Amino acid sequence: MARITLSAIKADVGSLAGHIVPSRELVKAVGDHIKANQASLGIIDFRLSTTGDDVCILMTHRHGADHPQIHKVAFDAFMAGGDIAEAQGLYGAKQDLLVTAFSGNVKGMGPAAAEMEFDERPGEAFILFAADKTDPGAYNGPLYHLSDPMYNSGLLLNPKTKGYRYTVMDVSHTGGDRVIELETPKDLYDLAALLRDLERFVVEKIEGLDGLPMVAVSTTRLHNIAGRYTGKDDPICLVRSQKDFPATGEVLAPYVKAEYVAGFMRGSHTGPLVPSKLGTKISYFDGPPKVTAAGYSMKDGKLVGPEDLFEDPFWDEIRRKAHQKAEYIREQGFRGVAMLPMDELEYGGMKQRLEELDQRFKIR
Ligand code: F6R
Ligand code: MG
Ligand code: MG
């Protein structure tokens, strides 16, 4: 069995009419660059998808994760897309490219990456989730529920599924990767205690207890890299499904909740995570936060798909509920839980205003 690597790398390098959707020409330029380098870099197959204003490149190859040439081709493809964005006057052209030249690995340069290397199974099935207008903590809930028989019935029905090993990252730590490993069901409450804090502790990967790679999440927090806010992180997540992993339907099941996450308007408000169709655009209040799910099969690295896993009419009902949740929280405006805590606000205006007001307070 030959090892195969899935590399999903995404960035927002400019979008049309605000933070809405990339232009067709931009997406084409990204794809053309990958295509031109596909054979020479040993990229077996690739696909592009868009979610809101983000473009995601999925590649299959045999070079392993964090391979400099694979990261470089993605970075340069985004640069080519960014050139088009500049030429077309798109909004936020090259905003996620925090450096002008690639060196080594896209992590730390703006684009987000989720990668997994494994022995391809017969009937290999996986899902690529991509979320816009939110941050990596948006996956905490759905990934926690992989260890919950209310969503993953395989934990009860499949005698081979004993639990999972989660790697959780403290994304507020900027001096290197600070991580902890926890095993479910043994450490389930410890996992819950950490994943409660969506902005600080995020799932980076999950393996079976036998060490088989199952989930990879991009954990980039752009404002931690850039030292200033450059937009929401808009995370991607790869999940292998079926056989000893959760079934595709079990992986999708927790998204019925349309949980409230960070990232609505100006990256500074709370909104429901809406399970959305591939290529979805952004409309209401620069959101609501959205997640797409592209389903794939694969043989020797050749991809079949994507199949849009949130297209079914079932998800129309969930979208209706999610949109209602969006309206409910918008009734709350700027108050309380509707707006994110001070450290998560995408602009300095609030802090500045409060500092000025602070000077005018008097002790009576
Ligand atoms: C994410 C996204 C948002 C924006 C934010 C502020 O895709 O678009 O996080 O970065 O809404 O953007 P500006 O300040 O450009 O309106
Ligand atoms: Mg954006
Ligand atoms: Mg985005």
Side-chain angles (χ1 to χ4, degrees):
M1 242 186 301
R3 303 283 283 171
I4 201 92
T5 308
L6 296 179
S7 293
I9 304 182
K10 76 100 230 170
D12 173 353
V13 291
S15 51
L16 206 157
H19 293 279
I20 305 297
V21 67
S23 72
R24 268 183 224 104
E25 295 77 13
L26 183 162
V27 178
K28 184 176 178 310
V30 174
D32 285 350
H33 186 84
I34 304 288
K35 200 162 190 54
N37 291 276
Q38 181 177 5
S40 64
L41 292 179
I43 296 167
I44 302 169
D45 211 349
F46 77 95
R47 294 286 188 279
L48 292 195
S49 54
T50 67
T51 303
D53 57 14
D54 301 311
V55 183
C56 185
I57 310 167
L58 171 68
M59 292 171 277
T60 62
H61 56 90
R62 300 198 190 277
H63 306 309
D66 291 321
H67 192 269
Q69 279 179 301
I70 294 296
H71 280 228
K72 182 171 191 311
V73 78
F75 186 89
D76 291 345
F78 287 128
M79 203 45 109
D83 287 341
I84 297 290
E86 282 177 345
Q88 290 186 318
L90 299 190
Y91 189 74
K94 297 189 179 168
Q95 67 157 52
D96 281 0
L97 303 176
L98 304 179
V99 294
T100 48
F102 176 83
S103 68
N105 192 307
V106 290
K107 286 179 202 159
M109 296 185 185
E115 299 184 283
M116 256 194 282
E117 187 186 12
F118 50 82
D119 292 323
E120 189 187 273
R121 302 166 293 169
E124 182 69 52
F126 71 91
I127 306 157
L128 170 58
F129 291 96
D132 189 35
K133 308 293 180 268
T134 188
D135 54 28
Y139 295 119
N140 278 11
L143 293 176
Y144 169 83
H145 286 303
L146 295 182
S147 289
D148 176 354
M150 286 288 282
Y151 294 88
N152 181 1
S153 66
L155 293 167
L156 303 180
L157 297 172
N158 183 352
K160 287 212 222 143
T161 307
K162 306 285 185 224
Y164 304 112
R165 185 176 302 117
Y166 287 70
T167 303
V168 174
M169 185 180 281
D170 173 359
V171 288
S172 69
H173 186 84
T174 48
D177 292 350
R178 187 164 184 262
V179 295
I180 185 171
E181 281 190 5
L182 295 170
E183 289 185 2
T184 60
K186 173 167 74 73
D187 302 324
L188 191 70
Y189 296 164
D190 291 336
L191 183 68
L194 291 178
L195 299 190
R196 182 199 69 86
D197 187 341
L198 302 183
E199 310 315 317
R200 178 164 181 196
F201 298 112
V202 305
V203 178
E204 180 200 34
K205 67 174 183 175
I206 308 176
E207 301 172 337
L209 292 182
D210 47 12
L212 289 185
M214 187 170 98
V215 173
V217 185
S218 65
T219 48
T220 319
R221 300 265 358 232
L222 283 171
H223 76 302
N224 292 345
I225 299 172
R228 63 190 154 82
Y229 236 118
T230 56
K232 272 285 171 268
D233 317 302
D234 302 341
I236 50 175
C237 169
L238 285 167
V239 184
R240 295 169 77 203
S241 61
Q242 300 300 141
K243 302 231 171 89
D244 295 342
F245 299 134
T248 300
E250 288 166 340
V251 177
L252 299 175
Y255 290 89
V256 299
K257 286 139 64 83
E259 281 186 37
Y260 285 117
V261 296
F264 217 166
M265 182 46 83
R266 295 179 186 269
S268 303
H269 293 78
T270 301
L273 186 64
V274 185
S276 304
K277 295 181 188 178
L278 292 175
T280 189
K281 294 166 198 162
I282 297 300
S283 177
Y284 171 59
F285 202 59
D286 267 13
K290 297 193 177 193
V291 61
T292 58
Y296 288 95
S297 281
M298 181 169 72
K299 174 79 176 165
D300 298 327
K302 286 295 274 182
L303 295 165
V304 188
E307 192 58 37
D308 189 341
L309 301 179
F310 287 142
E311 191 181 38
D312 187 84
F314 173 83
W315 295 98
D316 291 338
E317 299 304 316
I318 303 302
R319 281 189 273 276
R320 209 158 289 145
K321 174 181 83 171
H323 295 161
Q324 225 161 39
K325 287 183 71 167
E327 281 188 56
Y328 290 156
I329 197 146
R330 286 313 314 136
E331 287 177 6
Q332 180 102 14
F334 55 83
R335 291 180 289 278
V337 294
M339 200 183 266
L340 295 177
M342 206 59 87
D343 283 351
E344 292 295 328
L345 299 182
E346 199 160 313
Y347 296 80
M350 185 75 81
K351 231 176 213 163
Q352 208 180 317
R353 187 183 297 273
L354 289 176
E355 275 163 16
E356 282 163 19
L357 288 172
D358 194 58
Q359 306 298 314
R360 292 172 49 197
F361 269 88
K362 294 189 176 98
I363 311 267
R364 203 162 45 199

